[in-house]
Amino acid sequence: MARLPTLFISHGSPMLAIQSSPANHFLRDVGKTFPRPSAILVISAHWESNGELAVSVVNNPSTIHDFGGFPRELFEIQYPASGATEVGSQAADLLKQAGFEIRTSSTRGLDHGAWVPLCLMYPEADIPVTQVSVRRDASMMEHLRIGRALSTLRDQDVLVIGSGSLTHNLYEYRGQEIDASVPGWVNEFDVWMKEHLEEQDLEALLSYRDKAPHAVRNHPTEEHLSPLFVALGAAGEVGAVTRLHTSYEYGVLAMDVYAFD
């Protein structure tokens, strides 16, 4: 069986689950292009911790509707995947061995950073899922190290997904249409990230906040970019970086998807 890549998925708005868009259509197809994983581990921007990493070890995780003001249809979606408890426990052990402080949760459900892309990629919900948090107090280098600690899971056909957003400044959202024009400050950041990811220029990427154009404007806070560095680290010795998809939603959300082989 071919080895699974690790993925970074821009999940954008929860509306991605039900609204027709290039990103929605792409995610409906992309799961068919890889070998079927034995389990899925998601690092989501919507599970943040401080000082320690949190890992879910839940037999039957609930579907968390961690948002408000959206159509009823979104709140009716359930993603009843079983919990990948063995993978969660193994991830916790790997992270401890790498020197991270860990706590496990036997109650944490799947937040929308996990179930929104998964309900498109694997709508049957028949692959076990676990989650690892991002750390609000950690650097991008620390998130890269988190990924590296998890890299051996690839050898067990575990699909590691970092779920965030390549750009994420909702303060700039002003009720735009989904196909609104893209401002230069969003596009220029997107182009810079693509160039340095494909070049595997870790020095520049880890210093993106100082070096990338409009970095702070695109990421007033960093939780939506942290999963990219975990996915990059989880690939281990990266052979190739491939941008699988690019589009924009509401002008300010770059919906890029990257694979790290």
Side-chain angles (χ1 to χ4, degrees):
M1 179 180 288
R3 198 178 191 211
L4 288 163
T6 64
L7 300 178
F8 171 70
I9 295 175
S10 298
H11 62 252
S13 157
M15 289 295 291
L16 177 66
I18 61 173
Q19 189 167 348
S20 177
S21 70
N24 172 289
H25 299 157
F26 170 79
L27 289 173
R28 289 183 183 277
D29 291 333
V30 72
K32 304 168 189 174
T33 66
F34 305 124
R36 178 182 171 85
S38 62
I40 299 169
L41 185 151
V42 181
I43 302 91
S44 168
H46 294 281
W47 192 11
E48 293 183 87
S49 56
N50 271 317
E52 59 187 6
L53 285 166
V55 182
S56 66
V57 286
V58 185
N59 288 320
N60 296 291
S62 61
T63 304
I64 305 174
H65 299 90
D66 48 345
F67 44 74
F70 288 96
R72 181 181 180 86
E73 182 182 357
L74 267 180
F75 293 91
E76 293 175 346
I77 294 176
Q78 297 294 315
Y79 192 75
S82 61
T85 54
E86 290 186 10
V87 173
S89 295
Q90 186 176 358
D93 289 341
L94 290 168
L95 291 164
K96 285 179 186 176
Q97 291 167 22
F100 293 99
E101 294 292 324
I102 300 297
R103 65 176 172 87
T104 57
S105 172
S106 59
T107 58
R108 171 77 185 188
L110 301 177
D111 61 63
H112 81 268
W115 66 259
V116 165
L118 291 181
C119 77
L120 300 173
M121 296 172 68
Y122 301 107
E124 297 84 4
D126 56 354
I127 301 172
V129 183
T130 187
Q131 285 195 240
V132 173
S133 69
V134 295
R135 271 184 46 191
R136 189 180 292 114
D137 59 334
S139 67
M140 295 300 106
M141 183 66 223
E142 285 295 281
H143 284 94
L144 187 74
R145 286 187 57 240
I146 291 166
R148 286 175 174 167
L150 299 170
S151 62
T152 57
L153 295 176
R154 287 185 70 196
D155 299 321
Q156 301 171 41
D157 302 322
V158 175
L159 179 60
V160 178
I161 298 175
S163 178
S165 194
L166 197 78
T167 63
H168 193 264
N169 186 342
L170 297 184
Y171 301 110
E172 298 278 357
Y173 175 68
R174 300 288 185 271
Q176 300 97 308
E177 296 296 324
I178 191 171
D179 59 352
S181 60
V182 180
W185 58 269
V186 172
N187 178 254
E188 289 169 23
F189 180 83
D190 187 7
V191 169
W192 187 94
M193 289 294 294
K194 177 179 184 291
E195 175 184 339
H196 290 84
L197 281 165
E198 290 180 343
E199 292 176 353
Q200 299 185 38
D201 185 353
L202 276 179
E203 181 181 359
L205 290 165
L206 291 168
S207 303
Y208 87 94
R209 212 152 180 83
D210 298 318
K211 295 184 177 181
H214 315 292
V216 176
R217 190 173 185 184
N218 279 285
H219 288 282
T221 56
E222 295 190 279
E223 76 288 338
H224 273 77
L225 201 60
S226 299
L228 182 148
F229 287 90
V230 180
L232 181 59
E237 294 296 324
V238 179
V241 175
T242 307
R243 183 164 73 172
L244 301 178
H245 174 78
T246 183
S247 63
Y248 298 91
E249 295 188 0
Y250 309 104
V252 296
L253 295 176
M255 302 297 294
D256 297 47
V257 176
Y258 280 90
F260 307 112
D261 289 300

